[in-house]
Amino acid sequence: MEEYVRDPCPYRIVDDCGGAFALGAVGGSVFHTIQGFRNAAKGTKLRGALTKVVTSSPRTAGSFSMWGLLFTTSDCSLAHIRGKEDPWNSIMSGFATGFILALPNGYWAATGSGMIGGMLLGMIEGISIMMNRWAGEEAYRENDTNRKLFEDPHAEIPQPQTPAIGSIFGMFGPQAQTSQ
């Protein structure tokens, strides 16, 4: 599967950890700016927002970074143990990450968080596979049309189908719009 060709694992761990830190820093800054602005007293809104960002955003960025580190480390470990990279590695890594991060709250809380992490990653992987298949079918149709035109340059160019208004850009099947 081409979609799983990525950087080698030691580099991927550092890259994902840094990306998660940046995401947590930017997202945390936006979130804590709004929260600090709303909770500050009248006349000190800007100072309250800035104080909240400075005190809370590094903690959010660190939490995101830890999540990225644990997830990618378990993903690389599973890829090495199993000898292949597929969606199951990500799903099991989501479970392991949720479980490990919630372990201080007790075994049952950790199990619940692990299940939620695994289910979330399962949904993400399922949607990713669905989108890749959809994009692949579109590319196949386009290449098939180009191949036919290459074989017979005088062939008539087929008109693209206009998706029905109810379908989201033709995503759920080729539903041509009827002209009246």
Side-chain angles (χ1 to χ4, degrees):
M1 291 185 168
E2 295 97 26
E3 70 257 15
Y4 287 97
V5 177
R6 296 173 28 184
D7 292 335
C9 274
Y11 304 110
R12 188 186 322 172
I13 293 170
V14 174
D15 185 42
D16 285 355
C17 186
F21 181 85
L23 182 69
V26 172
S29 295
V30 170
F31 177 78
H32 293 302
T33 299
I34 295 168
Q35 188 180 21
F37 188 80
R38 290 182 65 206
N39 293 335
K42 190 173 183 180
T44 62
K45 297 280 188 185
L46 193 57
R47 180 181 292 262
L50 184 62
T51 303
K52 185 70 173 170
V53 167
V54 169
T55 58
S56 298
S57 288
R59 187 180 313 122
T60 305
S63 295
F64 270 70
S65 180
M66 183 56 68
W67 192 94
L69 177 73
L70 281 173
F71 177 79
T72 309
T73 302
S74 60
D75 190 32
C76 287
S77 300
L78 286 168
H80 179 72
I81 291 168
R82 295 181 69 226
K84 58 183 175 179
E85 291 197 30
D86 60 359
W88 287 108
N89 290 344
S90 294
I91 294 169
M92 290 186 285
S93 297
F95 175 83
T97 301
F99 183 85
I100 291 168
L101 288 175
L103 203 53
N105 297 327
Y107 178 76
W108 293 109
T111 304
S113 291
M115 296 294 282
I116 290 172
M119 286 189 286
L120 283 173
L121 265 296
M123 287 190 303
I124 290 169
E125 288 294 327
I127 290 170
S128 174
I129 290 169
M130 181 185 73
M131 295 301 287
N132 284 338
R133 282 190 184 160
W134 176 70
E137 289 173 5
E138 291 294 319
Y140 176 76
R141 281 190 215 124
E142 208 171 285
N143 288 337
D144 192 43
T145 303
N146 291 340
R147 182 183 52 78
K148 287 178 184 174
L149 288 174
F150 181 74
E151 290 172 356
D152 184 13
H154 303 292
E156 185 177 322
I157 299 173
Q159 295 297 322
Q161 290 184 339
T162 307
I165 295 172
S167 69
I168 303 171
F169 306 111
M171 182 181 278
F172 299 110
Q175 302 169 352
Q177 198 173 22
T178 58
S179 58
Q180 296 162 344

